[in-house]
């Protein structure tokens, strides 16, 4: 498996910052990096240029799995960039929160259909430090809104993916307090219209509940047998 580029906090990042290669050094992208860094929000970006030993498709997929938010720097260049588009499509399939920020004019009709219904923050005319601007504060507020929910979404997804990739090893299923924790998250998540649980997460939780219940039954039967033996 290819090496996985790490964020400042390891494999996990709160934000996948997706910008076209040609936009990577633009003032808007630099300002976004600074804003996120100063807010202590971990981020991951596609390496530019790609290291020859990395599989680009696999790397983008794994990074998207491991992020809580997909922050797309929206420009004509981004809509033609393989990294941005692959990440966007994968983020949509994983029910990730997607936050588009506009840095160059892109007509609504030219944006991918899923983006047309999303609120877009306009950074085209920011002249002051981004953290002192209304769009900058809005972006930080959006990232902070229900951050725990999206963080737990990613945590459960990564656990379920590991279980699936390890041939559904029962040792990787949830139990006890962990199972109860994610079950509470699921009770909220399955009632949502956006960013809800994936089928894989549903299956992972169902199998965890089934195995935990069967183990609990075995323990209960053992305790009952021991009690009857002591009372004999």
């Amino acid at each position: 498996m290819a090496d996985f580029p790490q964020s400042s906090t390891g494999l996990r990042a709160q934000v996948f910052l997706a910008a076209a290669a040609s936009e990577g050094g633009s003032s808007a992208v630099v300002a976004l990096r600074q804003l996120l860094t100063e807010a202590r929000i971990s981020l991951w970006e596609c390496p530019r240029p790609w290291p020859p030993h990395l599989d680009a498709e696999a790397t983008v997929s794994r990074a998207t799995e491991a992020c809580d938010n997909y922050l797309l720097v929206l420009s004509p260049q981004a809509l033609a960039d393989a990294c941005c588009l692959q990440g966007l499509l994968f983020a949509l399939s994983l029910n990730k929160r997607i936050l588009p920020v506009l840095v160059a004019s892109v007509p609504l009709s030219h944006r991918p259909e899923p983006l047309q219904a999303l609120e877009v923050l306009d950074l085209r005319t920011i002249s002051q430090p981004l953290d002192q601007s209304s769009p900058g504060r809005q972006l930080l507020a959006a990232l902070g809104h229900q951050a725990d929910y999206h963080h737990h979404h990613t945590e459960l997804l990564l656990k379920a993916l590991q279980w699936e990739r390890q041939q559904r090893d029962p040792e990787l299923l949830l139990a006890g307090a962990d199972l109860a924790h994610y079950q509470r998250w699921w009770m909220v998540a399955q009632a949502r219209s956006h960013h809800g649980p994936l089928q894989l997460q549903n299956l992972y939780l169902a199998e965890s509940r089934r195995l935990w219940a069967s183990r609990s039954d075995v323990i209960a039967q053992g305790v009952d047998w021991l009690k009857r033996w002591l009372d004999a």
Side-chain angles (χ1 to χ4, degrees):
M1 181 179 295
D3 294 338
F4 189 87
Q6 297 190 11
S7 71
S8 59
T9 57
L11 300 184
R12 288 277 288 109
Q14 292 162 272
V15 169
F16 184 144
L17 179 58
S22 58
E23 297 281 358
S26 70
S27 59
V29 175
V30 171
L32 282 168
R33 289 194 195 104
Q34 183 177 358
L35 178 73
L36 296 172
T37 300
E38 291 180 352
R40 298 189 176 184
I41 295 174
S42 60
L43 63 103
W44 188 92
E45 298 181 71
C46 294
R48 310 286 191 171
W50 278 98
H53 68 283
L54 283 181
D55 181 312
E57 183 175 351
T59 301
V60 171
S61 297
R62 295 297 293 273
T64 309
E65 293 169 358
C67 74
D68 298 341
N69 305 276
Y70 189 82
L71 178 56
L72 177 63
V73 180
L74 190 55
S75 67
Q77 292 82 0
L79 297 182
D81 185 89
C83 173
C84 292
L85 289 178
Q86 182 194 343
L88 174 62
L89 292 173
F90 204 50
L92 287 166
S93 73
L94 296 175
N95 291 347
K96 297 286 183 174
R97 177 160 61 183
I98 298 169
L99 301 169
V101 294
L102 193 64
V103 298
S105 296
V106 180
L108 182 64
S109 60
H110 292 181
R111 300 173 196 173
E113 185 175 350
L115 297 184
Q116 294 180 15
L118 296 179
E119 181 179 358
V120 177
L121 291 177
D122 193 342
L123 302 185
R124 289 175 295 175
T125 58
I126 301 299
S127 58
Q128 60 201 93
L130 192 52
D131 63 346
Q132 299 177 21
S133 70
S134 177
R137 289 191 292 268
Q138 289 178 51
L139 177 57
L140 292 180
L143 289 169
H145 181 62
Q146 297 186 339
D148 285 346
Y149 174 88
H150 294 281
H151 184 73
H152 297 325
H153 189 299
T154 299
E155 285 183 334
L156 183 59
L157 173 63
L158 293 176
K159 291 178 183 294
L161 286 168
Q162 182 185 20
W163 171 69
E164 181 73 12
R165 289 164 178 162
Q166 295 295 325
Q167 287 75 52
R168 302 189 176 185
D169 182 353
E171 293 300 318
L172 296 175
L173 291 170
L174 299 169
D178 283 343
L179 176 57
H181 168 73
Y182 288 110
Q183 183 65 22
R184 288 193 296 271
W185 174 87
W186 181 85
M187 293 293 291
V188 174
Q190 56 90 29
R192 291 173 59 111
S193 58
H194 300 289
H195 314 122
L198 302 172
Q199 184 58 35
L200 177 60
Q201 291 169 309
N202 293 337
L203 178 61
Y204 180 63
L205 281 171
E207 286 298 304
S208 296
R209 289 193 300 268
R210 184 188 63 77
L211 183 62
W212 179 248
S214 65
R215 288 177 176 174
S216 298
D217 287 344
V218 170
I219 293 173
Q221 291 170 11
V223 169
D224 182 64
W225 177 87
L226 181 61
K227 182 180 178 180
R228 285 188 281 107
W229 181 79
L230 290 173
D231 291 341

